[in-house]
Amino acid sequence: MIKQYAIIFMVTYIGEIVSKLIDFPIPGPVIGMLVLFILLERKLINLNFVEKGANTILLNLSIFFIPPGVAIISALDMLHGNILKIIVTMILTTIITMGTTGLTVQYLINRRKK
Amino acid sequence: MIQSLNSPLFGICLTIIAYIIGMEIYKRFKLPILNPILIALIIIIPILLYLKIPLETYKKGGDLISFFLAPATVVLAVPLYKKINLLKQHFIPILGGIVVGVLTSILSCVFIGKILKMDLGLIRSSLPKSVTTPIAIELSQQVEGFIPITIVMVMITGMTGAILAPFICKVFKIENKIAQGIAIGTSSHAVGTSRAIEMGETEGAMSGLAIGVAGIFTVFILPLLFSLLF
């Protein structure tokens, strides 16, 4: 298991370094994700090398969002009077996004069948 | 008493206990409205406010936990790699749909936010709201949003997707299972995907694939669109 985390943390670190070196603003962890994906896809590392470690993290993924979420304490006045607007916006944009995405995929699949 | 709060262990214990309670409640009722993160926040925030514990004190432990967001984002490559064959089978429809979805999500946040006269800071915080939380947190920073607000918005988005997915597919007449799955994952990330998995195997797998792909596309599209719009 410790070897799995060695790989995961090294790739995370590589992502962080690369993100500082390039000009385009891509978050380090996302670069790390792309690096790990390429390593797997190119068969440079075997899925077994990271799968268990990754699953342990992914199974409890939501715990990592709690502390950043708690920081909303420092923005309670920013939320005040805006909560309803936020909820309405989130619901409407989710409906619109899901609708357009699904219709686009469906249209492109049907067009190819013809 | 006050001194014992200064240990990072205070924030760590409080977070883990609140998370376990949140997960247990969610597992028992399986209702999207009982989002485990939301429950954890509803437990922790009143405790801190009522006992007048400063956020900084909580963060000593909290930061140690949220540090793992970075490796947690990196390992999203694993489920993406496992599902990548699905993408190869329907390359153009899936990628086309996800690009349209990413653009729609960002633009609809700007337009609806402006119509409702929302604060600019809130609109900025909402831009990455459709992607998976670890990526949304990174992007919120980039577009000068406020991370905790983004997290709450990502949660509301996920809950909306999970609750309304079958209804939205019906209204828009999205009948193809691949289209349904991609639509759910692109618009409402992993929380929506939990509903897609219940709808069927194809829907669930496609939704899972869309989480990673939509996340990556948003990382590239959002900064470009942001420099045009703001």
Side-chain angles (χ1 to χ4, degrees):
Chain A
M1 200 58 145
I2 194 74
K3 286 178 194 158
Q4 305 235 336
Y5 288 109
I7 297 175
I8 292 168
F9 279 104
M10 275 194 291
V11 173
T12 309
Y13 191 37
I14 291 169
E16 198 177 291
I17 294 169
V18 174
S19 135
K20 288 195 175 121
L21 292 177
I22 56 171
D23 228 5
F24 195 81
I26 307 175
V30 176
I31 295 178
M33 173 186 166
L34 292 171
V35 170
L36 183 58
F37 178 78
I38 292 166
L39 289 174
L40 290 167
E41 176 74 6
R42 295 279 132 214
K43 311 271 178 231
L44 293 169
I45 63 170
N46 200 307
L47 183 60
N48 301 331
F49 294 178
V50 289
E51 195 177 17
K52 271 191 192 155
N55 284 344
T56 309
I57 296 178
L58 290 172
L59 268 177
N60 292 296
L61 189 59
S62 35
I63 194 174
F64 307 122
F65 314 143
I66 295 173
V70 170
I72 202 146
I73 287 184
S74 58
L76 289 180
D77 52 327
M78 205 172 160
L79 282 180
H80 192 77
N82 280 313
I83 293 180
L84 198 64
K85 279 185 194 173
I86 291 175
I87 294 175
V88 169
T89 311
M90 292 307 111
I91 293 176
L92 288 179
T93 51
T94 307
I95 294 173
I96 297 169
T97 306
M98 198 182 288
T100 48
T101 310
L103 287 178
T104 309
V105 178
Q106 188 163 270
Y107 169 76
L108 291 172
I109 290 176
N110 288 341
R111 200 184 62 165
R112 263 210 316 200
K113 277 183 192 157
K114 279 172 194 164
Chain B
M1 174 64 194
I2 295 300
Q3 271 193 335
S4 60
L5 289 179
N6 262 322
S7 158
L9 286 166
F10 164 68
I12 292 176
C13 291
L14 186 59
T15 309
I16 295 178
I17 292 167
Y19 171 73
I20 293 172
I21 295 173
M23 284 306 271
E24 286 302 321
I25 294 177
Y26 176 70
K27 273 185 201 154
R28 180 160 308 172
F29 297 100
K30 284 275 173 204
L31 293 171
I33 196 89
L34 296 173
N35 181 295
I37 307 171
L38 189 66
I39 296 171
L41 295 185
I42 291 172
I43 294 170
I44 296 173
I45 291 173
I47 291 178
L48 299 183
L49 290 177
Y50 183 72
L51 297 177
K52 296 200 169 56
I53 299 166
L55 182 61
E56 292 311 310
T57 308
Y58 167 78
K59 277 186 69 179
K60 281 182 187 163
D63 285 347
L64 289 175
I65 291 181
S66 53
F67 166 77
F68 288 91
L69 270 171
T73 310
V74 172
V75 297
L76 290 174
V78 171
L80 185 63
Y81 168 72
K82 286 190 197 162
K83 296 200 166 88
I84 202 69
N85 276 330
L86 296 172
L87 176 63
K88 288 173 183 162
Q89 288 159 21
H90 299 276
F91 197 71
I92 300 289
I94 291 176
L95 287 190
I98 292 176
V99 170
V100 169
V102 168
L103 288 170
T104 309
S105 175
I106 298 169
L107 293 175
S108 63
C109 281
V110 175
F111 288 124
I112 295 178
K114 292 247 155 121
I115 291 169
L116 294 179
K117 296 199 172 66
M118 244 185 358
D119 198 67
L120 202 60
L122 290 176
I123 296 180
R124 283 180 176 159
S125 307
S126 74
L127 299 177
K129 63 113 194 173
S130 283
V131 301
T132 185
T133 315
I135 297 182
I137 289 173
E138 296 284 344
L139 290 175
S140 175
Q141 234 165 0
Q142 262 180 28
V143 296
E144 297 152 47
F146 190 62
I147 290 175
I149 303 237
T150 300
I151 292 176
V152 171
M153 289 171 159
V154 172
M155 275 176 352
I156 301 173
T157 299
M159 288 152 70
T160 305
I163 295 168
L164 297 181
F167 170 75
I168 298 170
C169 290
K170 213 175 188 177
V171 169
F172 284 88
K173 297 200 171 63
I174 304 163
E175 282 136 12
N176 184 293
K177 288 181 176 182
I178 298 168
Q180 290 180 348
I182 297 295
I184 297 169
T186 304
S187 59
S188 52
H189 52 91
V191 180
T193 299
S194 63
R195 185 65 186 265
I197 291 168
E198 288 170 20
M199 289 164 69
E201 200 182 327
T202 313
E203 293 91 322
M206 286 296 167
S207 188
L209 169 74
I211 300 172
V213 180
I216 293 169
F217 277 172
T218 306
V219 166
F220 286 95
I221 292 174
L222 186 54
L224 296 173
L225 220 51
F226 184 71
S227 57
L228 289 175
L229 289 170
F230 288 89

